[in-house]
């Protein structure tokens, strides 16, 4: 938040502050007992949030695989119910809720929060809207901006992605709301894996296609209920083959891809299928030094 925005927020908040009499009527008498009750409510809520996450994680990892995502997708709703319950309890505990008091409170908070905590509030609102729109759910594998991974937590202000490198990335809901989201599995266990291979133009492409199909259908990770497809395209320097298949569990995406590559390379070596020749890096370097074209392919 910039200094100018903060100063504007302070000025507006000062102009909209309720009168002293309104404040007296707004809050209940704050005693030590009330404070202790509020603290106890916060601690219980915090414990429930941790318990929900731990319990659902433990259960989802120990049930049949087809139920895992269903259990994980219930986490945001359960956490939302707990937070709403805590907010309502504290609201009733600390405030004297009447019609005029409620109008004075919401007006002041709306103006103050709108300026001073715009980004924070927008992330919370975006999180609530995203929860019901459902562009992704817990357990989905999504690409948001430069980050790709599995949605492992859906918090009040952020969602967390676990990347293939086992890093956890926290992304504010406001960013997920405005950026494009690419969802690989959309609530399903399977997510398509695309494996690309390049062969020299003189290679027997029909044989190469057959080897790719054999690799997919013989892998123990392949979901055989879903289609396996090989797409061929031509480039000036090679023939490109794309193997599109589904693992039984989206979590096995990279293990599956590795298994396919190993099988295909072993089969190609056995049948001596030629790969395209790589660019001549020495000529490329010389081209950079002399200003000549930088990429040279040999056929």
């Amino acid at each position: 938040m910039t200094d100018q925005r903060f100063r504007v927020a302070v000025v507006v908040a000062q102009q909209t502050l309720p009168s002293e009499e309104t404040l007296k009527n707004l809050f209940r008498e704050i005693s030590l007992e009330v404070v202790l009750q509020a603290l106890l409510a916060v601690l219980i809520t915090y414990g429930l949030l941790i318990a929900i996450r731990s319990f659902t994680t433990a259960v989802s990892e120990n049930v049949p695989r087809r139920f895992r995502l269903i259990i994980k997708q219930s986490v945001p709703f359960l956490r939302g119910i707990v937070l709403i319950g805590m907010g309502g309890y504290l609201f009733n505990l600390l405030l004297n809720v009447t019609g005029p008091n409620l109008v004075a409170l919401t007006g002041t908070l709306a103006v103050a929060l709108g300026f001073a905590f715009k980004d924070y509030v927008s992330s919370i609102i975006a999180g609530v809207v995203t929860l019901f729109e459902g562009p992704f759910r817990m357990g989905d594998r999504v690409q948001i901006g430069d980050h790709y991974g599995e949605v492992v937590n859906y918090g009040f202000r952020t969602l967390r992605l676990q990347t293939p490198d086992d890093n956890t990335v926290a992304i504010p809901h406001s960013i997920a709301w405005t950026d494009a989201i690419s969802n690989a599995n959309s609530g399903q266990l399977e997510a398509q894996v695309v494996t690309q291979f390049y062969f020299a133009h003189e290679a027997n492409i029909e044989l190469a296609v057959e080897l790719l199909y054999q690799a997919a259908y013989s892998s123990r990770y392949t979901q055989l209920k879903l289609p396996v497809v090989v797409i061929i395209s031509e480039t000036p320097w090679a023939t490109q083959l794309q193997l599109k298949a589904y693992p039984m569990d989206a979590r096995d995406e990279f293990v599956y891809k590795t298994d396919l590559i190993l099988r295909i390379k072993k089969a190609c070596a056995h049948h001596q299928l030629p790969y395209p020749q790589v660019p001549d890096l020495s000529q490329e370097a010389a081209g950079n030094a002399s200003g000549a074209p930088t990429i040279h392919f040999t056929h």
Side-chain angles (χ1 to χ4, degrees):
M1 183 177 62
T2 64
D3 294 340
Q4 183 179 2
R5 186 186 297 180
F6 179 76
R7 286 194 293 271
V8 171
V10 171
V11 172
V12 173
Q14 288 174 342
Q15 293 175 349
T16 56
L17 279 176
S19 64
E20 182 177 354
E21 183 178 358
T22 302
L23 285 176
K24 286 182 180 178
N25 294 329
L26 181 60
F27 291 98
R28 295 181 184 273
E29 183 178 352
I30 307 299
S31 62
L32 178 60
E33 181 181 357
V34 171
V35 173
L36 292 177
Q37 289 179 6
L39 290 176
L40 182 62
V42 172
L43 290 175
I44 292 176
T45 302
Y46 184 69
L48 284 175
L49 294 178
I50 294 177
I52 288 173
R53 183 180 180 184
S54 301
F55 177 75
T56 53
T57 300
V59 172
S60 64
E61 299 298 334
N62 290 282
V63 298
R65 190 163 44 195
R66 62 182 181 278
F67 298 125
R68 188 184 74 220
L69 295 184
I70 297 175
I71 295 174
K72 285 200 167 187
Q73 288 160 8
S74 66
V75 173
F77 292 98
L78 294 176
R79 292 167 63 98
I81 292 173
V82 171
L83 290 173
I84 291 173
M86 183 202 68
Y89 177 77
L90 291 180
F91 198 76
N92 187 56
L93 181 67
L94 302 175
L95 302 177
N96 184 20
V97 183
T98 62
N101 290 344
L102 192 61
V103 171
L105 177 66
T106 54
T108 303
L109 288 178
V111 174
L113 294 177
F115 283 95
F117 301 101
K118 174 177 175 297
D119 295 335
Y120 191 86
V121 174
S122 65
S123 283
I124 295 175
I125 295 174
V128 174
V129 174
T130 303
L131 185 63
F132 288 97
E133 283 189 347
F136 58 83
R137 286 166 282 187
M138 291 279 289
D140 283 359
R141 302 180 74 81
V142 299
Q143 173 86 43
I144 302 176
D146 296 330
H147 304 291
Y148 175 76
E150 179 182 344
V151 181
V152 294
N153 192 22
Y154 197 93
F156 203 48
R157 189 185 67 86
T158 64
L159 64 97
R160 295 180 186 273
L161 294 183
Q162 187 169 18
T163 69
D165 297 330
D166 206 27
N167 295 325
T168 301
V169 181
I171 301 178
H173 294 306
S174 58
I175 293 179
W177 199 9
T178 56
D179 282 17
I181 301 173
S182 176
N183 193 327
N185 55 326
S186 299
Q188 304 298 317
L189 272 176
E190 305 87 0
Q192 188 181 76
V193 171
V194 179
T195 309
Q196 298 184 358
F197 271 85
Y198 293 90
F199 295 95
H201 288 299
E202 61 271 23
N204 184 343
I205 298 303
E206 290 185 356
L207 176 59
V209 171
E210 181 62 26
L211 295 179
L212 264 63
Y213 275 116
Q214 289 180 8
Y217 283 117
S218 62
S219 173
R220 66 188 178 95
Y221 297 103
T222 301
Q223 175 53 274
L224 298 177
K225 295 180 180 178
L226 295 174
V228 176
V229 179
V230 176
I231 305 296
I232 304 174
S233 58
E234 283 290 286
T235 70
W237 56 281
T239 299
Q240 182 193 49
L241 272 63
Q242 295 184 73
L243 173 59
K244 298 185 177 182
Y246 295 83
M248 289 184 287
D249 191 331
R251 283 182 171 177
D252 296 329
E253 174 185 357
F254 295 101
V255 176
Y256 179 51
K257 195 168 187 175
T258 301
D259 183 60
L260 291 176
I261 291 174
L262 289 175
R263 290 171 180 273
I264 295 169
K265 289 184 71 70
K266 183 178 181 181
C268 290
H270 177 73
H271 292 281
Q272 298 182 341
L273 285 178
Y275 294 109
Q277 296 185 13
V278 298
D280 189 335
L281 299 179
S282 60
Q283 292 186 26
E284 181 181 351
N288 286 334
S290 63
T294 56
I295 299 177
H296 304 272
F297 294 101
T298 57
H299 296 275

